[in-house]
Amino acid sequence: MEFWNMIIKIIFSLQITSGILGNVSLLIYYLVYYIKPTLKPTDLILMHIMASNVLIVLSTGVPNTLAAFGLKKFLNYFGCTLVLYIQRVGRSVSISITCFLSVFQAITIIHKESCLKDQKVKAANCIGCSIFLLWALSIFINFIFLVYILVKRNSKNMTRTRDFEYCSTRVNDNISDSLYVALVVCPEIFFSVLIAWSSGTMIMILYRHKQRVQHIHSSPVSRRISPESRATRKILVLVCTFLAFYTLSSVLQGCISLLYNHNWWLLTINRLTSLCFPSFGPFILMRHYSFMPRLSLI
């Protein structure tokens, strides 16, 4: 058990270090080099993804790492509820804006395949308002859940305590469970399905385009991998990584919510998987959008 505790401490430390360095480096990169009128629409979306990832890493990774190193129950009830609120806001914003990025990319590609040539311009113009709306909805929806938990903390219906090691809260209220499913779980499922659909659409369009120009790529002049194949691989890596980590995290959180006796391994794996995409996602995005060479100064 001591061996596994040491491994978990190392993994948590690596996740926090990589998550903070990766996300903050990209934020600094955008703030220093890209705050100008030529800021690309995708860059603006990525800035907000990085900001939400920082929230997740700080609110989830730091408390779990301190608990893994032996600092237990250092948050009171209000602090615990506030940390959980920040976690949920960061997670909701990360999922929703990643979905928005995937849909925007699909619109950009469809623009080249259809006669609706003004769709890309319209999408670029409404990006700022859409991102602001996603942040506002995530903050407001999770704030409703936060207020309900604080108001009902002394209720007799809250009969079970959920231990997070760094703090604990009282749960098992039917209304709070229904609110969580309706306001948090259902939107996450919808956004995940939308991400899968938009990514599948992009891959299909790129595949059809590749088939139309197959005679060019198969000629002796062009020996390299086609741009369509490279773009398809990047999209697949990004969406599969995102969906895999967040789907696994959602399933584990559902199991924890339904089970009364929480297994130590189940709780630990859930905490580790919830940090995977926020911690390692920036490095996937660096490769996906090919701006790694421009980060040499940072």
Side-chain angles (χ1 to χ4, degrees), residues 48-81:
H48 289 271
I49 294 178
M50 298 303 107
S52 63
N53 286 343
V54 170
L55 284 181
I56 297 173
V57 172
L58 293 178
S59 62
T60 304
V62 173
N64 284 319
T65 303
L66 293 176
F69 279 92
L71 187 58
K72 309 286 186 180
K73 299 294 187 298
F74 57 89
L75 291 175
N76 57 17
Y77 187 87
F78 177 78
C80 185
T81 307

Side-chain angles (χ1 to χ4, degrees), residues 10-54:
I10 294 174
I11 295 175
F12 272 132
S13 301
L14 289 175
Q15 285 182 324
I16 290 181
T17 304
S18 61
I20 293 177
L21 288 178
N23 289 288
V24 173
S25 296
L26 290 184
L27 282 175
I28 294 175
Y29 165 75
Y30 286 124
L31 291 175
V32 173
Y33 295 102
Y34 261 59
I35 295 299
K36 52 187 180 180
T38 58
L39 184 69
K40 297 179 182 178
T42 52
D43 295 330
L44 180 61
I45 300 174
L46 289 173
M47 286 178 62
H48 289 271
I49 294 178
M50 298 303 107
S52 63
N53 286 343
V54 170

Side-chain angles (χ1 to χ4, degrees), residues 95-157:
I95 293 176
S96 59
I97 297 185
T98 302
C99 175
F100 183 71
L101 172 63
S102 182
V103 172
F104 177 78
Q105 289 175 323
I107 292 174
T108 303
I109 295 178
I110 292 173
H111 151 72
K112 299 177 181 179
E113 296 291 320
S114 66
C115 59
L116 301 177
K117 296 185 177 181
D118 59 338
Q119 293 301 314
K120 180 180 178 181
V121 177
K122 291 181 179 179
N125 292 334
C126 69
I127 279 179
C129 295
S130 300
I131 292 176
F132 174 79
L133 181 62
L134 291 174
W135 272 99
L137 284 175
S138 298
I139 292 172
F140 178 72
I141 290 174
N142 287 281
F143 184 75
I144 294 175
F145 194 75
L146 170 68
V147 170
Y148 181 85
I149 293 296
L150 291 175
V151 170
K152 291 290 185 178
R153 63 177 177 174
N154 295 322
S155 174
K156 295 180 180 180
N157 292 329

